[in-house]
Amino acid sequence: MKEKSDNTTANFNWFRMFWDGFTHMSKLGKTLWIVVIVKLIIMFAILKPIFFPDFLSSKYKSETDIGNYVGEELVDRSDTFNK
Amino acid sequence: MELLNSSLIDWSRAQFAMTAGYHWLFVPLTLGLGVIMSIMETIYVRTGDEAWKKTAKFWQTIFGINFAIGVATGIILEFQFGTNWSNYSWFVGDIFGAPLAIEGIVAFFLEATFISIMFFGWNRVSKKAHLTATWLTITGATLSAYWILVANAWMQYPVGMEFNPDTVRNEMVDFWALISSPVAINKFFHTVLSGWGLGASFAVGIGAWYLLKKRDVDFALKSIKVGAIFGLVSFVFLAVTGDGSGYHVAQKQPMKLAAMEGLYEGQHGAGLVALGMLNPAKKSYNDDVNPYIFKIELPKLLSLMGYRDANAFVPGVKDIVDGGFPVKSGETPLSFEAKKEKGKKAVKALANFQTVKKEGRDTSEYEQALKENYAYFGYGYLDKPEDIVPNVPLTFYSFHLMVMIGLYFILMFAIVWYYHGKKKMETTRWLQYVALWSIPLAYLAGQFGWIVAEVGRQPWTIQDVLPVNAAVSGLATGNVVITFMLFVLLFTALLIAEITIMVKQIKKGPEL
């Protein structure tokens, strides 16, 4: 026997699915969305800009300068560690 | 030059290890439960049995909790590449970036698109369309894992690239070599299977909890049935791919294999340590102290696993340092000192290249010297033989505990499957307790596996090419300590949220 849901694809509407999904969300769903949003805010609005700037881009603007810097670093470190 | 010290390197490594370790608490459950819920929904679609739908929906909810809390925790590792490991990030160029970008664009969007249908689409799309969305969700998650593991495998066995001294970057010359590297393929299957095994142990363990509570028995038995079969198959294939890992490690990272086995002196027909205890009195690879307090070996198995020849020579730590040990190809492996000389030549060639380039003179002589010695570039940053020896006790015990837990799960799932088949699972309380309390073991096995893979390859970020002391950024150690602590807080909060929400949902049960 075919279920009612088998005929639903023809009437499928992406927007409606998301609208209903979010507006009729369970308490668990809402809790999880809060966790996700808070986590992403902490990661991208606090941790990344304050504690995790791109080390090389913050020192040099052009790729050539970055390449020169890394090249010099690699040469200098060999002198430091390799007696 | 920035002020560097071992404390900075240790804290940077600790921060990365801690982040990766936490991340790996979430990922394997996603990979494992994703397949389990898909199998359950497939059974529902094939049989039309509403009880299977209820079972599948419960596990989808648990999958959703784990997915929501774990999602994006891996991005923090990418933050660290740019900040803490900037030399590495620049040096690896597009080789590391390409798989990660593909992971982000293709796999993640596949996952994100179909997960919405999976959660919101019940009764909106046909059963088959919903089932397709469920399978595509876990396919997307698994493909994500593939691209990440391609990047990791490249660090263990760098292929398909050429170093450009002009940009100081490795440039991809063979994308196919990168994505089809035998190390990457084996690593992918081994890692994903470990996730499947963990998901199976979770489903069986939670099913057992319901049996212990004498509630939702039909649901519990269905979860146990799928979990036990899936778990048994996963762990058997884990053993097969584990053997593949051992083979690749022997070929590409012999020092890691020596550390895994606590093997200091190489031998022909080497045995695999089944059970053993290392001697803490052994302080150096070069002293005469017996490395073991005791060991029970499976004769010749290490040679067989590593070289597919029961009498092959397996080099120990000392042999790899000294070089010159017998290998099948007939070549003579170089000693540490010889590799160091080549590494110094490569770094010197890079320095000269930079100088003459600035002066506008011909660089070809130095490009050639760099090319000839580049395979040992990283040895130019190492001082003494001990620098290439990883932490042997940590690698040894992690490896053996991982293998023991893997074998334990083969036995446990076989017993659970047998008892389920005999319809005794519901009444065998000791087995219910065993299944429930085995869940943490699956997590431990995964963590041990990554410790073997990552600690065992120290000091390298890229095998033989870039050690950690050249890869790390010249940050203030204090900053790294602060961010380490911040991550401990963030991840612990996420873990507490995961456990709290999950326990609440499990107690609520499958009546959705």
Side-chain angles (χ1 to χ4, degrees):
Chain A
M1 191 183 76
K2 275 204 161 193
E3 274 198 3
K4 199 170 103 183
S5 62
D6 283 346
N7 299 320
T8 52
T9 307
N11 304 320
F12 179 68
N13 180 317
W14 275 98
F15 175 77
R16 193 81 219 161
M17 182 184 79
F18 279 103
W19 179 261
D20 287 348
F22 281 107
T23 52
H24 296 96
M25 193 174 278
S26 64
K27 195 181 165 193
L28 172 66
K30 286 175 187 160
T31 307
L32 291 176
W33 272 105
I34 290 168
V35 171
V36 170
I37 291 165
V38 169
K39 175 176 63 178
L40 292 177
I41 289 171
I42 292 172
M43 281 170 58
F44 289 99
I46 301 171
L47 291 177
K48 174 67 181 160
I50 299 173
F51 297 102
F52 287 92
D54 188 296
F55 184 80
L56 296 173
S57 303
S58 65
K59 280 176 171 279
Y60 301 99
K61 295 297 166 210
S62 77
E63 293 220 325
T64 310
D65 290 343
I66 293 175
N68 290 339
Y69 168 78
V70 174
E72 283 168 19
E73 274 282 290
L74 291 180
V75 170
D76 289 347
R77 286 194 188 183
S78 175
D79 293 337
T80 305
F81 290 106
N82 188 334
K83 305 287 188 292
Chain B
M1 201 193 91
E2 310 291 344
L3 186 64
L4 285 179
N5 55 49
S6 60
S7 176
L8 168 67
I9 297 166
D10 290 344
W11 275 106
S12 299
R13 285 183 58 207
Q15 187 185 76
F16 199 88
M18 186 269 294
T19 312
Y22 262 110
H23 182 54
W24 196 248
L25 292 177
F26 301 111
V27 176
L29 191 60
T30 294
L31 296 174
L33 282 189
V35 179
I36 287 172
M37 71 187 187
S38 303
I39 292 170
M40 288 169 172
E41 192 179 333
T42 305
I43 299 173
Y44 159 61
V45 171
R46 289 176 72 97
T47 62
D49 182 348
E50 287 293 320
W52 277 108
K53 180 180 179 182
K54 189 173 79 172
T55 307
K57 283 187 84 169
F58 172 82
W59 286 111
Q60 280 179 11
T61 304
I62 300 299
F63 171 90
I65 294 168
N66 183 63
F67 185 87
I69 295 176
V71 73
T73 50
I75 291 175
I76 291 174
L77 294 169
E78 295 188 33
F79 291 175
Q80 290 172 22
F81 283 133
T83 305
N84 301 58
W85 302 97
S86 59
N87 285 354
Y88 165 85
S89 294
W90 182 262
F91 190 77
V92 298
D94 57 349
I95 296 173
F96 204 71
L100 294 187
I102 296 171
E103 187 267 334
I105 295 165
V106 181
F108 180 74
F109 277 103
L110 184 70
E111 203 176 344
T113 303
F114 290 104
I115 203 170
S116 59
I117 298 179
M118 193 177 86
F119 283 113
F120 295 157
W122 287 105
N123 304 322
R124 291 186 173 276
V125 295
S126 71
K127 285 198 283 188
K128 284 183 180 170
H130 190 275
L131 178 63
T132 306
T134 303
W135 275 109
L136 286 173
T137 300
I138 187 55
T139 303
T142 309
L143 283 175
S144 285
Y146 172 71
W147 292 111
I148 300 288
L149 293 167
V150 161
N152 180 273
W154 180 82
M155 296 157 77
Q156 318 264 351
Y157 174 52
V159 287
M161 89 294 192
E162 218 165 66
F163 182 65
N164 181 348
D166 211 24
T167 57
V168 198
R169 304 190 95 164
N170 284 283
E171 292 171 356
M172 196 186 313
V173 292
D174 189 347
F175 183 64
W176 179 249
L178 179 72
I179 65 169
S180 65
S181 148
V183 175
I185 302 291
N186 195 88
K187 183 175 272 288
F188 168 70
F189 283 110
H190 193 61
T191 310
V192 169
L193 283 163
S194 77
W196 290 5
L198 185 143
S201 91
F202 198 85
V204 170
I206 299 302
W209 180 81
Y210 283 105
L211 294 183
L212 283 166
K213 295 287 174 188
K214 300 186 189 304
R215 52 173 283 203
D216 299 295
V217 170
D218 180 56
F219 156 81
L221 290 173
K222 281 181 162 55
S223 300
I224 289 169
K225 183 182 180 181
V226 172
I229 298 169
F230 185 59
L232 184 59
V233 171
S234 299
F235 272 97
V236 167
F237 280 100
L238 258 173
V240 174
T241 53
D243 172 70
S245 291
Y247 174 76
H248 290 303
V249 167
Q251 309 301 314
K252 322 291 185 201
Q253 298 172 301
M255 182 62 89
K256 186 194 281 185
L257 186 72
M260 284 159 64
E261 281 295 292
L263 186 70
Y264 286 86
E265 303 272 355
Q267 50 188 280
H268 288 278
L272 185 74
V273 176
L275 198 64
M277 185 179 278
L278 295 177
N279 187 351
K282 186 156 186 72
K283 300 295 179 197
S284 163
Y285 80 94
N286 216 11
D287 62 28
D288 292 328
V289 177
N290 185 340
Y292 302 99
I293 290 176
F294 81 94
K295 65 172 174 175
I296 300 167
E297 275 189 350
L298 301 170
K300 295 183 183 287
L301 205 57
L302 187 62
S303 288
L304 194 61
M305 182 180 77
Y307 299 92
R308 303 302 187 231
D309 173 357
N311 293 311
F313 182 82
V314 180
V317 173
K318 196 168 182 308
D319 303 281
I320 297 164
V321 168
D322 294 342
F325 53 87
V327 291
K328 210 173 181 179
S329 66
E331 292 171 18
T332 307
L334 297 178
S335 66
F336 167 76
E337 290 299 336
K339 289 176 183 174
K340 181 178 159 181
E341 273 314 302
K342 283 180 169 284
K344 283 168 79 171
K345 278 184 188 169
V347 177
K348 183 79 179 155
L350 177 65
N352 288 333
F353 175 91
Q354 289 166 351
T355 306
V356 299
K357 191 181 114 185
K358 277 180 194 161
E359 294 167 354
R361 292 193 284 130
D362 181 26
T363 57
S364 55
E365 180 191 343
Y366 303 113
E367 281 181 65
Q368 187 59 31
L370 186 52
K371 201 170 185 176
E372 282 169 7
N373 297 292
Y374 184 71
Y376 303 101
F377 187 85
Y379 286 86
Y381 299 90
L382 304 178
D383 183 35
K384 51 192 187 304
E386 285 81 358
D387 291 344
I388 59 165
V389 183
N391 185 324
V392 173
L394 185 55
T395 312
F396 174 88
Y397 288 117
S398 296
F399 172 63
H400 287 88
L401 287 169
M402 175 190 71
V403 172
M404 280 178 203
I405 294 172
L407 295 174
Y408 162 80
F409 271 113
I410 290 176
L411 185 66
M412 191 204 84
F413 282 127
I415 293 171
V416 169
W417 191 8
Y418 174 80
Y419 272 74
H420 185 278
K422 293 285 177 189
K423 304 199 185 306
K424 289 180 180 172
M425 194 65 208
E426 198 183 332
T427 52
T428 313
R429 287 182 74 78
W430 67 266
L431 190 53
Q432 295 164 7
Y433 278 112
V434 166
L436 176 63
W437 290 107
S438 292
I439 296 173
L441 289 179
Y443 280 95
L444 278 176
Q447 298 289 331
F448 286 142
W450 278 112
I451 290 171
V452 174
E454 300 304 305
V455 174
R457 71 182 170 106
Q458 290 305 312
W460 306 110
T461 56
I462 307 168
Q463 184 71 34
D464 294 343
V465 176
L466 195 72
V468 284
N469 58 5
V472 74
S473 303
L475 298 167
T477 308
N479 290 351
V480 183
V481 176
I482 289 169
T483 48
F484 177 92
M485 298 302 174
L486 283 173
F487 283 144
V488 170
L489 288 175
L490 175 67
F491 281 118
T492 305
L494 286 174
L495 189 61
I496 291 169
E498 163 114 339
I499 293 170
T500 308
I501 297 171
M502 218 176 247
V503 166
K504 199 174 168 188
Q505 200 61 29
I506 289 167
K507 281 183 179 170
K508 199 173 164 188
E511 299 296 342
L512 301 172

